[in-house]
Amino acid sequence: MVDLVKTILLIAYWYGLAVGVSNFEVDWLTGEANATRRTTIYAAVHNASLITLLILLSLGNNSLKSEFITARYLHEYFFLLMTAVRISAVLLSLITRWYQRCRFIRLWNQILALVRDRPQVVRGRWYRRSIILKFVFCVLSDSLHTISDVSAQRKRITADLIVKLSILATLTTIFNMIVCQYYLAMVQVIGLYKILLQDLRCLVHQAECTCSIRNRRGGVYSIKCCSLADQLDLIAERHYTLKDRLDEMSELFQIQSLSMSLVYFFSTMGSIYFSVCSILYSSTGFGSTYWGLLLIVLSTASFYMDNWLSVNIGFHIRDQQDELVRVLADRTLFNRELDNRLEAAFEDFQLQLASNRHEFYVMGLFKMERGRLIAMLSSVITHTMVLVQWEIQNDGS
């Protein structure tokens, strides 16, 4: 029987190699990552060719600069700005993957070692569901977005336009593959956190049962408390290692996270703005049919779901850490005190969680949290409404 999740991971891996995102190779028998000569040469040639094509397009007659000069409507300026932001984000992300390649490979192998110690991560229901959902909405978002672009421009299709749309579609795919790789790494880390949380719950339950032992002068009580203290120290060590890997991952993906924030901000505005303009400007013929409207709705919905999965995955880390703190707090509900060594182990773990909470800052500019996300969504809606009102006012005049 075919393993759907393994098939998705293989497709994502080979597709990442094909579009030049991955500049190292993975041995699927062992899972180890290495910088091989063939992968390095192919990725270098692919990235250099892509940059060369972008330079040629910037020097051509239909470059972004010439389109900016000849643009007449506000939506044309906005789409040109959105294209420039996406191109810059892809190029910055690709550059960072070259000069930080050794760190990416080392981090891959370190996370792989953690997953090998806890193989139940890849068998978890949440892990499998997260990967399948991301794959489905990512494919739908890419496919429907490409179809929407072609449909909106189908009345003035030329050879130059086909080349330009193909390059822009490639850039979109590269950016989405970078986001997918970050998403897959975060899913594995969260899976490790979930197993850590299960082990901690089991240990707290055993500690509560041990607390109910009346005869504390015998050797049974001391042995159980010492055993639980040793297990708790191992859990704290696992958490420290996992937190260290998470911090390194956050540092490596700083530029990618900034690129994600900018691209998602402008793309969310652009998807709403594009839908309105497609309906307003019936000359494209795109928003004048029910099939066109349906395509707009499906494209926008899949795009939002794909973005939400990518952004929300980072908040699950904080949720898992908050849950660890809550489970440890259940110790205060025990009816009697525990052994001094076990009490000290609990206090040390609580201190570790309090002093080493994961805070993810994007290039030191702002901290990623749910309140910040709501503020960004409010800003997107506000700016989009301003653009739509301007478009309607000028279209009517």
Side-chain angles (χ1 to χ4, degrees):
M1 185 176 179
V2 178
D3 189 343
L4 180 59
V5 173
K6 186 176 181 179
T7 303
I8 291 174
L9 293 178
L10 283 172
I11 293 174
Y13 169 69
W14 288 111
Y15 197 66
L17 287 176
V19 298
V21 173
S22 300
N23 51 20
F24 57 87
E25 193 171 341
V26 176
D27 185 358
W28 279 93
L29 296 178
T30 61
E32 296 288 337
N34 294 289
T36 60
R37 179 178 299 179
R38 61 179 180 180
T39 306
T40 301
I41 294 175
Y42 176 79
V45 172
H46 183 281
N47 295 166
S49 301
L50 180 63
I51 294 174
T52 302
L53 285 175
L54 291 175
I55 294 175
L56 292 176
L57 282 178
S58 64
L59 298 176
N61 295 327
N62 294 323
S63 62
L64 291 177
K65 181 179 179 180
S66 61
E67 290 184 0
F68 182 82
I69 295 175
T70 58
R72 295 181 299 171
Y73 299 103
L74 179 62
H75 68 275
E76 294 177 343
Y77 288 106
F78 180 78
F79 292 143
L80 289 174
L81 175 62
M82 191 171 64
T83 301
V85 170
R86 186 175 292 272
I87 292 174
S88 301
V90 170
L91 293 181
L92 283 174
S93 300
L94 290 178
I95 291 173
T96 58
R97 284 178 168 266
W98 279 108
Y99 75 82
Q100 292 182 333
R101 181 170 66 162
C102 294
R103 295 184 63 186
F104 274 105
I105 294 175
R106 184 175 65 252
L107 180 63
W108 173 288
N109 292 329
Q110 288 173 345
I111 294 178
L112 175 66
L114 295 176
V115 174
R116 279 178 176 173
D117 292 338
R118 299 290 184 274
Q120 58 267 40
V121 171
V122 298
R123 296 193 295 266
R125 182 178 299 177
W126 183 88
Y127 174 86
R128 301 177 66 86
R129 182 176 67 247
S130 299
I131 291 179
I132 292 173
L133 285 176
K134 178 63 177 177
F135 176 77
V136 170
F137 285 109
C138 184
V139 171
L140 284 176
S141 179
D142 269 2
S143 303
L144 294 177
H145 181 75
T146 302
I147 294 173
S148 299
D149 287 344
V150 175
S151 299
Q153 304 289 339
R154 69 180 184 273
K155 290 190 175 182
R156 56 188 187 94
I157 288 291
T158 61
D160 292 339
L161 183 60
I162 293 176
V163 173
K164 185 178 298 184
L165 290 177
S166 300
I167 294 177
L168 292 178
T170 302
L171 291 173
T172 301
T173 302
I174 291 174
F175 180 80
N176 288 337
M177 281 305 305
I178 293 173
V179 175
C180 285
Q181 290 182 355
Y182 169 77
Y183 179 87
L184 292 175
M186 291 294 290
V187 166
Q188 293 179 353
V189 171
I190 293 175
L192 291 169
Y193 261 105
K194 287 182 176 294
I195 294 176
L196 185 70
L197 187 59
Q198 293 176 1
D199 295 342
L200 182 61
R201 284 199 182 102
C202 182
L203 187 142
V204 171
H205 177 70
Q206 293 178 12
E208 186 177 9
C209 295
T210 303
C211 185
S212 62
I213 296 177
R214 294 184 178 181
N215 184 14
R216 298 196 171 192
R217 294 183 179 180
V220 176
Y221 175 77
S222 298
I223 291 174
K224 285 188 175 181
C225 286
C226 289
S227 176
L228 291 175
D230 292 337
Q231 295 178 38
L232 187 57
D233 288 339
L234 291 176
I235 290 177
E237 184 179 353
R238 285 166 50 192
H239 174 265
Y240 181 82
T241 302
L242 189 57
K243 174 67 167 49
D244 186 61
R245 302 293 176 267
L246 183 62
D247 290 340
E248 186 175 2
M249 186 190 306
S250 300
E251 183 181 351
L252 281 176
F253 282 95
Q254 284 288 314
I255 294 181
Q256 285 89 336
S257 300
L258 178 61
S259 302
M260 285 172 57
S261 302
L262 292 175
V263 170
Y264 284 166
F265 183 85
F266 285 102
S267 296
T268 304
M269 291 178 58
S271 61
I272 301 174
Y273 197 30
F274 174 79
S275 302
V276 173
C277 291
S278 298
I279 297 173
L280 286 178
Y281 298 101
S282 58
S283 59
T284 61
F286 185 55
S288 58
T289 64
Y290 290 110
W291 288 109
L293 293 174
L294 179 62
L295 184 59
I296 292 174
V297 172
L298 292 177
S299 177
T300 304
S302 60
F303 174 76
Y304 284 150
M305 283 301 302
D306 184 43
N307 289 358
W308 172 250
L309 289 174
S310 300
V311 173
N312 194 51
I313 193 68
F315 300 137
H316 281 294
I317 296 292
R318 290 296 303 271
D319 294 339
Q320 296 299 310
Q321 291 182 338
D322 292 340
E323 187 66 16
L324 286 174
V325 174
R326 191 195 64 79
V327 172
L328 279 178
D330 291 343
R331 176 181 63 91
T332 60
L333 303 178
F334 293 171
N335 53 6
R336 300 177 67 183
E337 293 184 356
L338 293 170
D339 180 78
N340 291 333
R341 182 185 173 188
L342 185 54
E343 287 283 355
F346 272 111
E347 291 176 359
D348 290 342
F349 194 16
Q350 284 182 320
L351 182 61
Q352 180 189 127
L353 291 175
S355 60
N356 292 292
R357 292 182 63 81
H358 177 68
E359 301 289 350
F360 183 60
Y361 288 88
V362 179
M363 297 295 293
L365 300 176
F366 57 90
K367 182 172 66 174
M368 286 300 298
E369 50 189 4
R370 285 191 171 92
R372 186 77 62 180
L373 180 62
I374 298 301
M376 291 178 65
L377 290 176
S378 176
S379 177
V380 166
I381 294 174
T382 301
H383 287 85
T384 305
M385 293 300 297
V386 171
L387 291 175
V388 171
Q389 290 176 359
W390 178 278
E391 194 73 46
I392 293 175
Q393 180 181 357
N394 286 269
D395 183 61
S397 59

